[in-house]
Amino acid sequence: MVLESRGNLLMLSSVSRKDSGIYQCRLLDSVGQAEVKGEVQLTVHYLDPALVVPQDSEVMLKGENLVASCNALSSLKTVTIWYKDGKQVGYSNMLHLDDATYETSGEYVCEVTVPSLPSLHTRGSVHIIVQGGPQVVGVEEEVQLEEVAGRMVNLSCEAQGHPPPSISWNIIGSQNWQEVMSKANDHMTHSMVSVKVNSDVSAVCNATNDMGTEVKVFSIKAIPRVTRTPPFSPVEGSGVIIVVIILCLLLLASLGSVLYFLHKKGKIPCGRSGKQEITKEKPTKDDIVVEMKNNPKNEDAVLLKAVNGEKKGPNDQ
């Protein structure tokens, strides 16, 4: 097949796999005879769109098995990887889903690449829906709680299933409660209630859909409200005692200083006549009596008198 060219150039636009083959160019003489010819082998590599089976979406029962495939025709060797929620879950063109649970539900994406030509890549996806009765999230079928009487407590109930289950509550032991949150998506329903605890309460969460029912029980024991006094701290008590003792000592020291100052100034007399004998015993000849007198000139003057049975004059002392 003769191709149109521009002089010695052959232009191929939007090449595809059908353009692969052997191309020859010939130089003709004046009479149209070929004198020289050359040829080249052209190979156009390709990667077709990925084909996923099952297509679009697939519903499977809880506990069933499923095999999904992803294929893309290519002129070179390809690599296929499966992803779910951004995490790798398979490394071949076949994906095996065994004993399906509600966690199996979701979108699975297969990505096909050509290692030798990274620019060639394609992808496909399938949405898996696992159908079954309600399954309440949480291992415990009955939850035991304790709460102080008079307080509010929030109870949360979450259930999986397809069709999405509906949730209802039965509250025994309290009339003061209300649902504060309710939301649902394709395979999950979540409800939360706020209950005031005045006495022991039993709350039952009922999750129901067309394929069954499941319940979860909350048992709340009411604890009487107790007013607690702060415990006595020995360290704090010792500190208070030490402070009191120090204050008492300072007060006594201050009082003593005031009394001494007043005595020195003569504000406090020693007796009725302005003097006071130190001893009241009858003096003897060998005794020395010390008397204290108020002297305007010298308040500290002391008169010493030797007693030997008669009084002596000042010159005899």
Side-chain angles (χ1 to χ4, degrees):
M1 183 175 63
V2 178
L3 302 176
E4 295 183 1
S5 62
R6 297 177 182 177
N8 61 344
L9 295 178
L10 175 63
M11 302 295 294
L12 300 177
S13 60
S14 301
V15 295
S16 63
R17 71 186 70 179
K18 67 180 182 179
D19 294 317
S20 298
I22 299 174
Y23 289 77
Q24 293 181 342
C25 64
R26 297 180 183 180
L27 295 178
L28 303 178
D29 58 15
S30 57
V31 295
Q33 298 295 324
E35 294 181 351
V36 180
K37 70 177 181 177
E39 65 181 30
V40 63
Q41 175 73 40
L42 175 63
T43 302
V44 178
H45 291 294
Y46 59 91
L47 177 64
D48 288 345
L51 177 62
V52 179
V53 179
Q55 295 182 358
D56 300 330
S57 64
E58 180 73 10
V59 176
M60 54 187 304
L61 294 177
K62 185 179 176 182
E64 283 188 340
N65 302 328
L66 177 69
V67 178
S69 64
C70 177
N71 295 287
L73 187 62
S74 175
S75 60
L76 297 173
K77 185 178 179 180
T78 61
V79 173
T80 303
I81 301 177
W82 288 90
Y83 296 92
K84 181 178 185 288
D85 299 329
K87 297 180 180 180
Q88 181 178 324
V89 294
Y91 192 78
S92 71
N93 66 317
M94 308 296 289
L95 177 66
H96 296 268
L97 301 177
D98 299 327
D99 192 17
T101 64
Y102 291 126
E103 285 72 22
T104 307
S105 299
E107 185 177 25
Y108 294 80
V109 177
C110 71
E111 186 172 292
V112 183
T113 59
V114 178
S116 58
L117 286 175
S119 60
L120 291 179
H121 57 85
T122 184
R123 62 170 50 194
S125 65
V126 59
H127 188 75
I128 301 297
I129 300 172
V130 178
Q131 193 175 55
Q135 179 179 321
V136 176
V137 176
V139 179
E140 301 174 349
E141 293 183 357
E142 183 173 357
V143 180
Q144 301 286 340
L145 300 174
E146 291 185 352
E147 188 55 81
V148 177
R151 291 186 177 179
M152 301 294 293
V153 61
N154 292 330
L155 305 178
S156 177
C157 185
E158 196 172 2
Q160 296 175 316
H162 190 82
S166 60
I167 291 180
S168 61
W169 291 87
N170 292 328
I171 310 295
I172 300 174
S174 176
Q175 299 295 327
N176 190 355
W177 67 275
Q178 62 178 347
E179 188 175 36
V180 294
M181 189 268 288
S182 179
K183 61 181 182 179
N185 54 29
D186 292 341
H187 60 280
M188 179 78 70
T189 302
H190 189 192
S191 174
M192 180 182 293
V193 295
S194 182
V195 182
K196 186 171 184 179
V197 179
N198 292 319
S199 60
D200 292 350
V201 176
S202 177
V204 181
C205 166
N206 301 282
T208 306
N209 68 2
D210 295 339
M211 304 189 71
T213 300
E214 189 164 309
V215 301
K216 187 172 185 177
V217 180
F218 298 85
S219 295
I220 307 172
K221 181 177 178 60
I223 303 175
R225 186 185 296 272
V226 178
T227 303
R228 297 181 179 180
T229 57
F232 175 75
S233 174
V235 176
E236 295 178 359
S238 301
V240 173
I241 293 173
I242 293 172
V243 172
V244 171
I245 292 174
I246 292 174
L247 292 176
C248 291
L249 292 176
L250 292 175
L251 183 60
L252 290 175
S254 301
L255 182 60
S257 300
V258 171
L259 292 176
Y260 178 75
F261 178 78
L262 294 176
H263 170 69
K264 296 291 288 183
K265 293 297 182 179
K267 301 296 183 179
I268 301 178
C270 292
R272 293 180 179 179
S273 61
K275 63 181 181 178
Q276 182 179 5
E277 293 184 353
I278 295 177
T279 177
K280 294 183 178 180
E281 295 181 359
K282 183 176 181 180
T284 63
K285 293 182 178 181
D286 298 329
D287 292 337
I288 297 175
V289 177
V290 179
E291 293 183 359
M292 298 181 65
K293 294 184 177 182
N294 292 332
N295 191 344
K297 296 181 180 179
N298 186 359
E299 294 179 355
D300 296 331
V302 179
L303 176 63
L304 302 177
K305 178 175 67 174
V307 180
N308 53 10
E310 61 180 354
K311 182 183 290 186
K312 292 183 180 182
N315 296 330
D316 298 333
Q317 291 182 358

